[in-house]
Amino acid sequence: QSALTQPASVSGSPGQSITISCTGSSSDIGTYNLVSWYQQHPAKAPKLIIYDVTKRPSGVSDRFSGSKSGTTASLTISGLQAEDEADYYCCSDARQTLSNVIFGGGTKLTVL
Amino acid sequence: QLQLQESGPGLVKPSETLSLTCTVSGGSLSSNNHYWAWIRQPPGKGLEWIGTIYYRGSTYYSPSLKSRVTISVDASKKQVTLKLRSVSAADTAVYYCAREESFYDNSGYFHHGAFDMWGQGTMVTVSS
């Protein structure tokens, strides 16, 4: 099964908002509300920032928000800060005939 | 506070078996709502799910790796073990263990939820 499709890179200035898209199919994002997003700083483990499409774990800034339309999920970061510069990965449950999990290829966010 | 720690050899020869252990501390491995997963990340590349296990032993594997992977659990030691057979250079990666929020729906189908806690990861290089 192919990875979810994310832009390779996005950028924005401090204070601005950016959106990262994650496109899948009817076998994953289109069917299940089990999209999650992860933030990964260099040489660090990924950190969960959004789960079940729109929910934020305790302790995650409300500047991070998630949404979904059809087979595309989106992560929006508002009020960009320097520490938001990182790689971001989307992920979805993807059950066909067998249980599966698929990740997006990752998006490098640069804060200008 | 729950912590996950991966451990194992950093170098494995081609065609041999990669074996890693994830030790859970500061909390229970035997939680009803939590599963335990292995995820890997080749250098400079994205994340790849390897498989998931429940403390009672139920396993779910990536279709692309299923023929080479075995994940097992020792609840008394609070450890989850990954074995990947017949490795090649393509298996060189940072290997993470993670806690997974998953569930069965009303139709009895299993669904993978988010990975809400991660270990720091361990780098494994496959080379002779």
Side-chain angles (χ1 to χ4, degrees):
Chain A
Q1 186 154 6
S2 300
L4 303 174
T5 301
Q6 297 181 234
S9 63
V10 299
S11 63
S13 299
Q16 288 185 332
S17 295
I18 63 95
T19 296
I20 299 172
S21 62
C22 171
T23 301
S25 70
S26 58
S27 298
D28 39 72
I29 293 176
T31 298
Y32 310 110
N33 289 323
L34 292 169
V35 177
S36 52
W37 289 88
Y38 303 86
Q39 177 191 62
Q40 186 179 34
H41 288 108
K44 297 293 187 182
K47 173 189 175 184
L48 176 67
I49 55 173
I50 295 289
Y51 68 100
D52 294 354
V53 178
T54 61
K55 299 175 182 177
R56 273 190 314 275
S58 174
V60 173
S61 172
D62 60 4
R63 297 186 299 105
F64 295 90
S65 63
S67 62
K68 187 184 91 166
S69 177
T71 58
T72 298
S74 298
L75 170 71
T76 298
I77 308 174
S78 59
L80 270 179
Q81 299 179 2
E83 61 259 35
D84 298 332
E85 184 162 299
D87 293 326
Y88 291 85
Y89 294 91
C90 61
C91 178
S92 177
D93 181 44
R95 187 180 61 79
Q96 296 174 312
T97 57
L98 297 173
S99 178
N100 201 359
V101 175
I102 53 173
F103 284 93
T107 298
K108 170 65 177 177
L109 169 62
T110 300
V111 180
L112 302 170
Chain B
Q1 183 176 353
L2 188 77
Q3 291 187 322
L4 290 72
Q5 179 69 57
E6 304 90 347
S7 59
L11 181 64
V12 181
K13 290 182 169 57
S15 80
E16 295 190 344
T17 296
L18 178 160
S19 183
L20 296 174
T21 298
C22 174
T23 301
V24 178
S25 61
S28 175
L29 181 148
S30 306
S31 169
N32 284 339
N33 295 329
H34 295 131
Y35 293 70
W36 306 91
W38 286 97
I39 295 159
R40 70 181 182 179
Q41 185 173 35
K45 296 187 178 181
L47 300 167
E48 180 184 21
W49 173 70
I50 300 170
T52 295
I53 192 165
Y54 191 48
Y55 78 94
R56 291 179 175 172
S58 304
T59 53
Y60 313 86
Y61 296 132
S62 166
S64 64
L65 295 170
K66 185 174 184 176
S67 64
R68 298 195 291 130
V69 172
T70 300
I71 297 176
S72 58
V73 63
D74 186 332
S76 65
K77 293 183 179 179
K78 298 169 71 174
Q79 291 181 334
V80 177
T81 299
L82 167 70
K83 292 189 185 297
L84 180 63
R85 297 175 291 278
S86 303
V87 298
S88 69
D91 296 308
T92 293
V94 175
Y95 286 76
Y96 295 100
C97 65
R99 189 177 73 174
E100 180 180 321
E101 297 266 358
S102 297
F103 61 94
Y104 282 90
D105 66 19
N106 292 334
S107 300
Y109 291 116
F110 183 78
H111 294 283
H112 296 275
F115 303 103
D116 65 342
M117 297 201 70
W118 296 64
Q120 65 185 24
T122 187
M123 179 68 199
V124 178
T125 301
V126 179
S127 175
S128 55

